[in-house]
Amino acid sequence: MTVTATAATVSDFYYGAVTPIAAYLMACLGAALGLRCTTRSLRRPQHRARWLALGAVSIGCGIWTMHFIAMIGFSVEGALVNYDATKTILSLLVAIAVVAVGVFLVGYRGGSPLNLGVAGAVTGLGVAAMHYLGMAAIHTNGTLHYDPLTVALSIVIAVAAATAALWAAVSIHALWASLGASLVMGVAVTGMHYTGMAAVSVHLTNVAGSSQSSADLVAFLLVMLAGPLLVLLVAAVIVMFDPDMMLGENENEAQTSQLTPAPLFGGDSVFPPKEPAQSAQSAQSAQPTQSRTSW
């Protein structure tokens, strides 16, 4: 018996602009929270690991949530679409893990070109792996095929976006500048997703008689999204109620990140220690009063 496969019409915008806009906003939210958490880690070396971990979880959940909100708008004409729950959850864990690798590398070792290149490549390849692992979770009445050149382009975009995000994490500390950077990062991450989706074609082997995924699919994705959305909400509350939230544009923030050495996993400092100005002033005030010139 010969099974004939027919090319199906695929759409990424079944619900119009709702899903891409919502996906973009989630990518921006995750990026913004990640940047603010990284800034906190530079200002508070005693809690650096905690802030970096929260930043990695925020960025990872933001990227993953962006992906699956966008996938709500994915439809295959003439076929039902379902997802494997195990692979879907695994893709979330991959997103958080690879972002954590990049964030901890730059958080502890600094933003040198070599370190950014390594961290950006690892994180970008991991984000691309998350995307295609999420695509591998799709079950439909046919097979998915990918255009190799478009897939390669999406991977390049992922690496570039990850490198830019990590650079911003250690270089941009002002509040409004980090918010602006998160908007740009949202464009890059969302662009990577839809570039990867442009590589997809579906060949049906058995027509299911439906032109769109069932309501059960949307319900499944919403349930899967509930956890990461809750994590992002908690992260937002932590960042917003942090005492230094509104000090992002204070020049003391940049000075603190430069003057306070950070231990490298309990070892030596990765930044050369500098003598704070206050210490010099304290030493000067300790001199006998007769040797000082009064102003």
Side-chain angles (χ1 to χ4, degrees), residues 99-276:
V99 171
V101 171
V103 167
F104 272 82
L105 277 175
V106 298
Y108 278 98
R109 294 185 176 274
S112 66
L114 177 60
N115 197 50
L116 277 176
V118 173
V122 171
T123 305
L125 291 174
V127 170
M130 177 279 299
H131 173 85
Y132 289 105
L133 180 59
M135 295 300 296
I138 293 178
H139 291 166
T140 189
N141 304 310
T143 56
L144 274 65
H145 298 272
Y146 296 90
D147 176 67
L149 292 178
T150 310
V151 169
L153 177 60
S154 70
I155 295 175
V156 170
I157 294 175
V159 172
T163 304
L166 294 174
W167 172 85
V170 295
S171 303
I172 298 177
H173 306 298
L175 175 61
W176 293 109
S178 63
L179 292 179
S182 69
L183 297 178
V184 177
M185 289 161 57
V187 172
V189 173
T190 309
M192 175 269 162
H193 171 83
Y194 283 106
T195 301
M197 295 306 297
V200 177
S201 61
V202 180
H203 292 79
L204 300 180
T205 55
N206 182 23
V207 178
S210 174
S211 61
Q212 167 60 6
S213 304
S214 64
D216 292 338
L217 171 62
V218 177
F220 168 79
L221 289 177
L222 291 177
V223 170
M224 297 298 291
L225 288 168
L229 286 173
L230 180 60
V231 171
L232 289 173
L233 176 61
V234 172
V237 171
I238 293 174
V239 172
M240 289 178 63
F241 285 92
D242 183 73
D244 293 333
M245 176 59 191
M246 301 312 297
L247 298 180
E249 294 180 282
N250 193 314
E251 59 180 275
N252 291 332
E253 182 175 55
Q255 293 174 355
T256 305
S257 65
Q258 293 175 359
L259 296 177
T260 305
L264 177 58
F265 301 104
D268 296 331
S269 170
V270 294
F271 300 111
K274 298 181 181 179
E275 186 70 20

Side-chain angles (χ1 to χ4, degrees), residues 40-151:
R40 300 301 189 287
S41 75
L42 296 176
R43 301 188 68 223
R44 300 174 184 174
Q46 68 274 23
H47 300 302
R48 177 158 297 188
R50 299 178 186 178
W51 281 110
L52 290 177
L54 183 60
V57 170
S58 299
I59 296 175
C61 287
I63 294 173
W64 187 89
T65 304
M66 175 278 303
H67 172 81
F68 279 98
I69 286 180
M71 291 306 295
I72 292 177
F74 176 74
S75 66
V76 180
E77 185 176 359
L80 293 175
V81 177
N82 295 294
Y83 288 85
D84 180 86
T86 301
K87 291 181 179 178
T88 301
I89 296 175
L90 180 60
S91 66
L92 171 61
L93 299 179
V94 168
I96 295 175
V98 296
V99 171
V101 171
V103 167
F104 272 82
L105 277 175
V106 298
Y108 278 98
R109 294 185 176 274
S112 66
L114 177 60
N115 197 50
L116 277 176
V118 173
V122 171
T123 305
L125 291 174
V127 170
M130 177 279 299
H131 173 85
Y132 289 105
L133 180 59
M135 295 300 296
I138 293 178
H139 291 166
T140 189
N141 304 310
T143 56
L144 274 65
H145 298 272
Y146 296 90
D147 176 67
L149 292 178
T150 310
V151 169

Side-chain angles (χ1 to χ4, degrees), residues 15-26:
Y15 296 102
V18 174
T19 50
I21 291 176
Y24 168 72
L25 292 177
M26 294 313 301

